[in-house]
Amino acid sequence: MLNGRKATTHWFVYDAIEKNFPEIELVRDARVVIDGNVFTSGGVTAGIELGIRLLEEAKGSRVAATTELAMCYDPQPPFGTGSPSKAGPDLLKAAIKYAEKIGTEKLWLAAA
């Protein structure tokens, strides 16, 4: 389904996706990627944003914006470390260590 398409996913699995699925054009650091009728997202709150974008496609921007307001979706992360580029090397290393401990293969299989 993703062959020849642009897509994104959780940063834990970028390398595994590129290695195992080279036919996917992975867009790193994107929260939501829309390629035709395929919508992908990376991370938990990015999934909410994906849902809002799907609603926009189905019902229009006014309904999607109203829903965003009704949900009170206004992310204000307390630490601002929600991506590798923002986390800094120490936190990134800790997160990678955690991913290795739980087994990144479980993560990339879920993403595939």
Side-chain angles (χ1 to χ4, degrees):
M1 180 168 73
L2 294 176
N3 288 355
R5 301 270 196 164
K6 292 180 182 177
T8 195
T9 188
H10 193 284
W11 66 267
F12 271 167
V13 295
Y14 286 164
D15 292 340
I17 294 295
E18 288 176 335
K19 177 183 174 188
N20 294 288
F21 304 98
E23 61 280 357
I24 298 171
E25 185 179 337
L26 186 63
V27 182
R28 290 176 174 245
D29 298 325
R31 296 182 55 76
V32 175
V33 171
I34 302 168
D35 187 350
N37 63 348
V38 175
F39 289 54
T40 56
S41 65
V44 175
T45 57
I48 295 169
E49 293 164 20
L50 174 67
I52 293 169
R53 295 295 302 273
L54 285 167
L55 185 58
E56 178 185 27
E57 287 289 315
K59 298 292 183 177
S61 59
R62 184 163 177 86
V63 170
T66 302
T67 301
E68 181 179 302
L69 173 60
M71 294 171 49
C72 193
Y73 182 69
D74 186 19
Q76 298 175 26
F79 301 104
T81 57
S83 69
S85 62
K86 295 176 183 177
D90 291 340
L91 286 178
L92 182 57
K93 185 176 179 179
I96 291 170
K97 185 176 178 180
Y98 171 74
E100 290 170 347
K101 179 180 176 182
I102 65 169
T104 54
E105 72 278 356
K106 293 175 186 172
L107 294 169
W108 80 259
L109 284 172

